[in-house]
Amino acid sequence: MRFIQIDKEQADVPVVKNVIYALGLVWRADKRLMIGYFMQEVFGNVFVWFVQNILFLKVLLEIITGSRDFGMYCRCLLIFAVLSVLDKIVTWSGMRIEKRATKNVLKNINNMIFEKAQSLDVSCYEDPSFYDKYQRATLVATSGYFDIITYDFVSMLSGIISLICVLFTVSSINPEYLLFLVPIFLVFIIETAKSKYVYKRDLEMTTNNRVKAYIQRTVFLRDYAKDLRTSNIFSVLMSRFEGAIEANIVILKKYGVGLFVYSMISSLFEEFILVIGTYAYAGYEFVSKGNMSVSGFSVVLSSVSSVRDVTLEITQCFDEMNQMALYFQNLKDFFDYEPKIVSGDKKAGKFESLEFKNVSFRYPSAQKNSLSNVSFRLNKGETLAVVGINGAGKSTLLKLMLRFYDATEGEVLYNGVNVREYDLATYRNAFATVFQDYKNFALSVYENVMCKPCTDDEKRLAAQALKDSGAWRKISTLSNGGDTVLTKEFDENGAGLSGGENQKVSTARLFARDFEVAVLDEPSSALDPVAESEMYDSLARVTEGKTVIYISHRLSSATLADMIIVLDGGRIIESGTHGELMALGGKYSEMFSLQASNYSNEEAENDEN
């Protein structure tokens, strides 16, 4: 199991800038979250650590020793009671504000993440390192890190205010005691180093955690249930799962000793020097030198306790903020990502032609081209079939056509203009596409077809599209017809469709919209020969006069095409009409004859059954 390599950029992130960045996002999402925590923490902590533990104690001891009269005590007691009630009111109000704001912040931040994800290049989804970064970015929101860093910032701020008040009181008794507090500031340096150390550990565990999450998700998905129960693949997955756990254990052991050393050094400066040193010197002044009053001695000891508690609170908050800031670097990188596929300014007009001119393409991490010197032209109203075996480059051709990627060499022209010059939204909107890895969602059938909430008129349009795709025979038998939700994930009355039925529903999206060019990528991969023939008859009817591109390794669609190009190894090895290629007796003729005989055998078996 591989570990993630830590580079200098990841290990030396700007902590302070990231804290400011995170707090800025929170403030923009809903400023009430910070206000609510401020009301809870600042007033309450100053009241407990300073007013209650030190000032009130000092007044009480001065009265006992005769330095102040009882009237002063009564007045102080009244003020204390008023402040106590006020503390409860402010804390309760702040809690209400904070609870309401927390949900709003998480909603707004998640929306920002979703919107950014929509703008990413398709290539990001084919890059494993992107998933690592995306997982760490979404972890910031799903784990409530925004809430934590806001609480820690306000809590640390309240601790600093309390600490200043306590130090001012101690210095008024004897400034020499401030010397024992100097080591406390070293704790912050130690905790900063410790936070980065923890971050390195967690970063190395990210891929292992992603493997664990994938396997945990897979064993519960319906799509994998049959394969898991009829093969040995479950043992392979469990082996990977156990390997990820073992790899994480190795990482934890690797960093365990270092974290222990950090904690011990931090405790030494945080408690031993502070508490033992102050107590010893205060005892020396009180007993041996006799120049300290009882009230002063008690206040110093109480102050030391408060300083220790406040420092511990500040240190913990500072430590957590450092860790959160490191995680926020991933979110910042995610938001700062600039798509490589940049939209142009021109609006894509009505389709006239699409041309590939000497196009070659190589994926970023690949050693060789997926397409090499591909050239062809498609004019309005023509039908093109792109055929070839799996891995021939058909899907890559589609990605360049829709500008999910840009050509490495050569150019793709729409109406004679390089596609890079067009506005992405208007350009892609010219194509109605059915992908081979079709997906339907846990929404109603009508919503899956129209891709939006449907009016009654839109439902009628969706129903007709379902009839054209051949899906309506099944959909009409469902309890709520086209209003039935697909899958039972969120609705116990939902419907589960077969692979072929799901593909028909997905294909219905094409029939439900107006388009310039129809692109069908393996549109019948899940259909039997009869259903496939019916679908192509419907496609031929609906797309009459339209420009259509079929991309398939199944050649039944090729007979409908005005032009066929045959891809092999990323190159066009044959092109022409069906009749021309059959007469040529090359690769296409061989593939077509083989598939035709397979279809004949399947139909014969169906007749016998």
Side-chain angles (χ1 to χ4, degrees):
M1 191 66 63
R2 71 181 180 89
F3 293 161
I4 294 179
Q5 296 299 316
I6 308 298
D7 57 33
K8 188 176 187 301
E9 181 182 358
Q10 292 171 318
D12 299 324
V13 297
V15 172
V16 175
K17 287 184 179 180
N18 285 351
V19 170
I20 295 173
Y21 173 78
L23 295 175
L25 281 177
V26 171
W27 188 259
R28 290 197 297 273
D30 195 329
K31 58 180 68 71
R32 294 178 302 165
L33 181 62
M34 195 173 295
I35 295 172
Y37 274 131
F38 190 87
M39 292 171 66
Q40 292 180 65
E41 296 300 315
V42 175
F43 193 91
N45 288 346
V46 172
F47 175 77
V48 172
W49 282 327
F50 179 61
V51 177
Q52 178 179 301
N53 291 355
I54 296 175
L55 284 187
F56 189 71
L57 175 64
K58 187 174 186 296
V59 172
L60 178 61
L61 290 174
E62 287 176 348
I63 291 171
I64 293 174
T65 58
S67 300
R68 293 179 183 267
D69 59 29
F70 187 72
M72 172 63 77
Y73 175 75
C74 292
R75 288 192 295 274
C76 289
L77 184 63
L78 179 60
I79 294 173
F80 179 81
V82 172
L83 290 175
S84 180
V85 172
L86 184 60
D87 170 49
K88 300 301 180 186
I89 293 173
V90 173
T91 300
W92 179 79
S93 300
M95 190 178 299
R96 287 191 63 191
I97 294 172
E98 170 254 317
K99 294 300 181 187
R100 292 176 179 175
T102 297
K103 295 180 180 178
N104 202 39
V105 167
L106 293 178
K107 181 191 75 172
N108 290 337
I109 296 300
N110 272 315
N111 287 344
M112 292 170 63
I113 293 174
F114 294 154
E115 289 173 7
K116 184 63 181 182
Q118 282 291 92
S119 71
L120 296 172
D121 295 327
V122 170
S123 60
C124 291
Y125 295 91
E126 298 175 350
D127 180 4
S129 65
F130 164 77
Y131 282 102
D132 285 333
K133 180 161 289 189
Y134 183 71
Q135 183 186 36
R136 294 193 295 267
T138 54
L139 185 68
V140 172
T142 57
S143 298
Y145 287 175
F146 279 100
D147 190 60
I148 294 172
I149 201 168
T150 306
Y151 168 83
D152 285 338
F153 171 74
V154 175
S155 202
M156 188 178 77
L157 182 62
S158 70
I160 292 172
I161 294 172
S162 301
L163 184 61
I164 292 172
C165 293
V166 173
L167 294 179
F168 180 79
T169 304
V170 171
S171 65
S172 66
I173 298 173
N174 188 344
E176 293 178 0
Y177 286 104
L178 297 179
L179 295 174
F180 294 99
L181 304 179
V182 172
I184 289 176
F185 298 102
L186 297 175
V187 173
F188 299 120
I189 299 174
I190 297 168
E191 290 298 327
T192 300
K194 179 183 174 182
S195 296
K196 292 188 176 184
Y197 200 66
V198 171
Y199 177 74
K200 286 184 180 180
R201 180 199 66 188
D202 292 348
L203 196 62
E204 287 197 20
M205 294 169 64
T206 299
T207 296
N208 300 324
N209 290 335
R210 186 157 58 87
V211 170
K212 287 168 54 185
Y214 168 76
I215 295 170
Q216 287 170 328
R217 181 176 70 252
T218 299
V219 296
F220 290 109
L221 290 177
R222 183 186 67 176
D223 294 346
Y224 300 96
K226 294 177 182 176
D227 291 297
L228 286 170
R229 286 157 178 78
T230 57
S231 70
N232 194 44
I233 196 67
F234 179 74
S235 64
V236 178
L237 291 174
M238 286 306 299
S239 176
R240 293 291 180 89
F241 186 80
E242 291 168 1
I245 294 175
E246 291 171 1
N248 276 347
I249 291 173
V250 171
I251 296 171
L252 290 171
K253 288 180 178 179
K254 172 184 173 183
Y255 286 90
V257 175
L259 290 175
F260 174 76
V261 172
Y262 276 120
S263 298
M264 290 300 296
I265 296 174
S266 180
S267 297
L268 174 66
F269 288 115
E270 187 175 73
E271 297 197 28
F272 185 79
I273 295 177
L274 170 64
V275 176
I276 302 301
T278 306
Y279 273 44
Y281 189 69
Y284 168 73
E285 279 202 315
F286 182 73
V287 177
S288 300
K289 298 176 68 174
N291 60 353
M292 178 177 282
S293 64
V294 173
S295 62
F297 179 76
S298 299
V299 167
V300 167
L301 298 187
S302 179
S303 297
V304 170
S305 178
S306 289
V307 167
R308 181 179 59 188
D309 292 342
V310 171
T311 304
L312 180 62
E313 178 75 12
I314 293 174
T315 301
Q316 289 177 341
C317 292
F318 188 74
D319 181 36
E320 278 193 341
M321 284 180 66
N322 271 280
Q323 292 185 43
M324 296 302 103
L326 295 169
Y327 285 107
F328 272 98
Q329 181 66 42
N330 295 298
L331 184 66
K332 187 175 185 299
D333 290 343
F334 178 73
F335 280 137
D336 288 346
Y337 175 84
E338 292 295 333
K340 296 179 177 62
I341 305 300
V342 181
S343 181
D345 298 325
K346 291 186 177 181
K347 302 294 182 183
K350 294 290 185 179
F351 176 81
E352 296 296 334
S353 67
L354 178 71
E355 184 176 4
F356 275 53
K357 292 184 67 175
N358 304 316
V359 170
S360 296
F361 177 75
R362 178 179 300 180
Y363 288 100
S365 59
Q367 300 299 315
K368 62 178 183 178
N369 287 345
S370 295
L371 291 178
S372 298
N373 199 32
V374 171
S375 297
F376 66 87
R377 179 184 174 90
L378 178 68
N379 295 313
K380 182 177 181 179
E382 293 180 342
T383 300
L384 169 70
V386 181
V387 303
I389 62 175
N390 291 334
K394 302 186 301 297
S395 294
T396 300
L397 187 78
L398 173 59
K399 291 174 184 177
L400 296 180
M401 190 181 299
L402 297 176
R403 211 185 161 215
F404 292 152
Y405 290 88
D406 281 328
T408 307
E409 297 176 15
E411 55 183 352
V412 180
L413 306 176
Y414 180 88
N415 294 346
V417 178
N418 194 305
V419 294
R420 297 175 189 236
E421 298 184 30
Y422 287 112
D423 172 74
L424 274 174
T426 61
Y427 173 71
R428 289 174 181 165
N429 195 52
F431 297 86
T433 309
V434 179
F435 294 102
Q436 62 173 315
D437 50 349
Y438 56 89
K439 290 290 182 290
N440 289 317
F441 303 90
L443 303 168
S444 74
V445 176
Y446 288 144
E447 288 171 326
N448 268 283
V449 173
M450 302 304 296
C451 299
K452 61 181 178 179
C454 298
T455 63
D456 289 340
D457 287 341
E458 288 168 336
K459 288 181 180 180
R460 283 190 284 272
L461 177 61
Q464 182 58 51
L466 290 164
K467 292 174 184 176
D468 290 333
S469 72
W472 185 250
R473 284 193 295 270
K474 174 63 178 180
I475 301 304
S476 62
T477 65
L478 301 179
S479 57
N480 293 315
D483 289 311
T484 304
V485 173
L486 295 182
T487 81
K488 297 180 180 292
E489 186 166 354
F490 304 117
D491 188 343
E492 61 181 15
N493 295 319
L497 302 180
S498 68
E501 291 160 350
N502 267 309
Q503 185 163 35
K504 291 175 183 178
V505 170
S506 179
T507 305
R509 294 172 190 152
L510 173 74
F511 295 103
R513 60 170 291 189
D514 188 21
F515 55 86
E516 294 292 320
V517 184
V519 182
L520 300 108
D521 182 18
E522 305 283 8
S524 59
S525 58
L527 304 182
D528 58 58
V530 175
E532 182 182 43
S533 176
E534 291 175 352
M535 173 176 285
Y536 280 125
D537 287 343
S538 295
L539 284 170
R541 183 179 69 256
V542 173
T543 59
E544 185 176 358
K546 298 275 189 178
T547 306
V548 184
I549 302 171
Y550 294 101
I551 299 176
S552 181
H553 68 278
R554 295 171 68 169
L555 306 185
S556 51
S557 59
T559 58
L560 307 173
D562 300 313
M563 179 175 66
I564 303 167
I565 60 176
V566 183
L567 285 176
D568 188 23
R571 296 179 179 274
I572 296 179
I573 59 171
E574 296 175 5
S575 64
T577 64
H578 172 72
E580 290 171 346
L581 294 181
M582 290 299 292
L584 184 64
K587 186 71 172 179
Y588 176 84
S589 176
E590 177 187 346
M591 292 171 61
F592 188 87
S593 299
L594 179 62
Q595 289 189 15
S597 64
N598 288 338
Y599 276 167
S600 298
N601 292 335
E602 287 182 17
E603 290 173 354
E605 290 177 3
N606 290 334
D607 292 340
E608 292 176 3
N609 293 333

